[in-house]
Structure formats: structure tokens, C-alpha cells
Amino acid sequence: MTDIGGIISEIAAEMATVEDRGTVASYIPPLAAIDPGHFGIAVIEADGACHVAGDADMAFSIQSVSKVFALTLALGKAGDALWKRVGREPSGSAFNSIVQLETESGVPRNPFINAGAIVVADMILSGHAPREAIGEILRFVRAVAEDDTIGIDEAVARGEQATGFRNIALANYMRAFGNLHHPVDHALGVYFHQCAIAMSCRQLAQAGRYLMMQGRVPGGGRIVSAARARRINALMMMCGHYDGSGEFAFRVGLPGKSGVGGGILAIAPGRASIAVWSPGLNERGNSKIGAVALERLVHRTGWSVFDPAAD
Ligand code: GLU
């Protein structure tokens, strides 16, 4: 049997010695203040075994990793009608790019770029006040993580609001095309707050279990259908790292979603839900050391979806 605990302790020790750790996001003070020396990893296997190393219990801003949970929730409400308003293709552009929206009539390429996530937030708002929609996302995350202590970092949410000019532009642009149904500040209020959810690697790996277990959580509860879990994983593989998605698939070979706070949720279907955190980012806005750690984990376990099953 593979000693996952041993492997991730080894990886955490290796990551501690890396000097070039990327650059911490600096657009808001609460993120700029984070020490780039942090590294955490949590792996939850299909049998429930949980392994952690490094700063796995330190909460960080999950940022765009939240887009996975918001998409799951919106699909539950809107079903496949969601795909009339958001595409399913990799963008090849930066996370906050506006260029494709013009030629594609305000329909974002996928739900994991900012424009797509703002439309998803708009769908979650349907029939709700912004505060209720935010509460619904938080409740969903707490439920899948089985942890009611998860909360929103209000200082981060305020920072997003105060500096989110590109997101404000994206939202207004989509509203002009009729692809935002609620007031721009309501959709953005939801989006900014979901980005400000704070979680540790352990909590994030817990929350990702339904994507590892064909839509179920331990104990048999169903969060989404097996088909939907498979499709969310496919989107994470193709679009989860913005214009670095191809590189992530090439090196790691797992569905993954990154956030500008330095977290990555990666899913080895049928095998493990994995969360890593290292706040330094590469030039595409994805965790630099986080991807290196996942590359090593996959290499040592054979967990890439492109590897034949070991057993
Ligand atoms: N709050 C960030 C933004 O919208 C999220 C980006 C990310 O995590 O990649 O700019």
C-alpha cells in the first residue's frame, strides 16, 4: 500500500527549501500581508483516510476555488439551462480578461473565468436578496466540508469590492448584453463574498470529496449526480487554471481549480480529494509551489487520470 502520509510529509519538507516561491497577490492588503513561506497540503482518500502536512490547518482565502462550489450550486438550481449563459471551453486568456466577451456577445467562455463566475453568482441570486445568496453558498460549503466553523473574511470581501474595477467592468459589459439579470452590484456582492471564504487545506479537501466520489459524500449522501461530478471535473481539468490550464494538465494530470490566495483543489477521481496551499503565484496567477507539490504527489502515487489504475 502506498504510504500517502509519508509521501506528503516528504513533499512538505521539500517545499520548505524552495527559494523561488512566486509572488503573493498584492491587490488587497489582507492578501499582500501573507508570508510566502507557508505551505500546506491535505489528502483525503476514498476510504476516508485523511493525511495532512505543513500548514494544513491554517485558513487562507480560497478566492477562485469557490467557483467550483458556486457552479455546483447554480447547476442544482438552473440545471443544464446554465449552459445557455456560460460556455464550456477553455479561454486561453487571463482570469479577468474582457476581450472574448465582445465577439461572443457577453457569454463567458467557461464558469471558472471571472466573467463566467459572475454569471453563475447572478444565477444563484435568482429569487434571493444578495445576503441570502451569500448565505446559501456558505451553507453549501460548510455542508460538503462537514464543518460549520468555515466563514467569510470580511476584510477580504471589502478589499475585493474596493479594488474590483475589472470585475465591475465585466459585469456591466455582460449586463449590456442581457446576460446578467440582477443589478451589477448584487451579482458582484455575491461574487466578492464567495471569493472571501476562508478555509484550510483540510477543510478544502473535505469539501472536494463529492467530486472524488462520483457526486456522493461519505455516508452515502448525494450532492450531485455522477454525471454532473464527472462534468465538473472535466471543466476543472480544461479551465481550472485560466491560461495555465494546459500546463497544469500536462504536469499534474488532475482536475484542479486554483485561487489567487494560493490554494488549489485537485481531484483524483475515485482515489483522493487534495488541497494544497502556497501563497506565492506564478505569472498566470496560480500557486507556484502548489503545482510543484501536486506534480510530485501524482508522480509518486500514479494518480494522474492519464495513468492506468494501479490495482
Ligand atoms: N477575487 C479575485 C478576482 O476576482 C479572484 C481571482 C482568482 O482567484 O484567480 O480578481
Side-chain angles (χ1 to χ4, degrees), residues 61-63 151-153 156-157 160 191-198:
S61 188
I62 68 165
Q63 292 288 331
I152 290 175
D153 184 331
V156 172
E160 299 288 334
Y191 173 70
F192 290 144
H193 280 82
Q194 75 177 59
C195 284
I197 294 175

Side-chain angles (χ1 to χ4, degrees), residues 27 63-64 95 114 160 167 191 195 242 259-260:
Y27 67 99
Q63 292 288 331
S64 286
F95 66 102
N114 285 13
E160 299 288 334
N167 289 320
Y191 173 70
C195 284
Y242 310 119
V260 83

Side-chain angles (χ1 to χ4, degrees), residues 196-216:
I197 294 175
M199 291 168 84
S200 66
C201 287
R202 189 194 296 268
Q203 291 167 329
L204 196 53
Q206 285 266 120
R209 292 171 304 174
Y210 70 99
L211 295 171
M212 166 215 356
M213 299 175 67
Q214 298 183 295
R216 290 186 187 277

Side-chain angles (χ1 to χ4, degrees), residues 40-122:
I41 182 165
V43 177
I44 300 181
E45 294 187 85
D47 65 4
C50 176
H51 314 274
V52 295
D55 300 317
D57 285 308
M58 194 174 281
F60 59 90
S61 188
I62 68 165
Q63 292 288 331
S64 286
V65 182
S66 66
K67 292 170 181 169
V68 173
F69 306 119
L71 173 66
T72 305
L73 202 55
L75 280 169
K77 285 169 168 277
D80 285 342
L82 183 144
W83 303 119
K84 293 196 175 75
R85 295 176 59 192
V86 187
R88 303 192 289 253
E89 295 293 342
S91 68
S93 308
F95 66 102
N96 55 8
S97 172
I98 201 165
V99 286
Q100 286 163 347
L101 279 180
E102 174 154 35
T103 47
E104 295 172 9
S105 308
V107 176
R109 275 281 171 101
N110 67 66
F112 294 152
I113 50 173
N114 285 13
I118 294 167
V119 173
V120 167
D122 189 65

Side-chain angles (χ1 to χ4, degrees), residues 16-35:
T17 66
V18 176
E19 276 174 22
D20 183 4
R21 309 183 77 83
T23 313
V24 171
S26 57
Y27 67 99
I28 51 172
L31 293 185
I34 313 244
D35 175 358

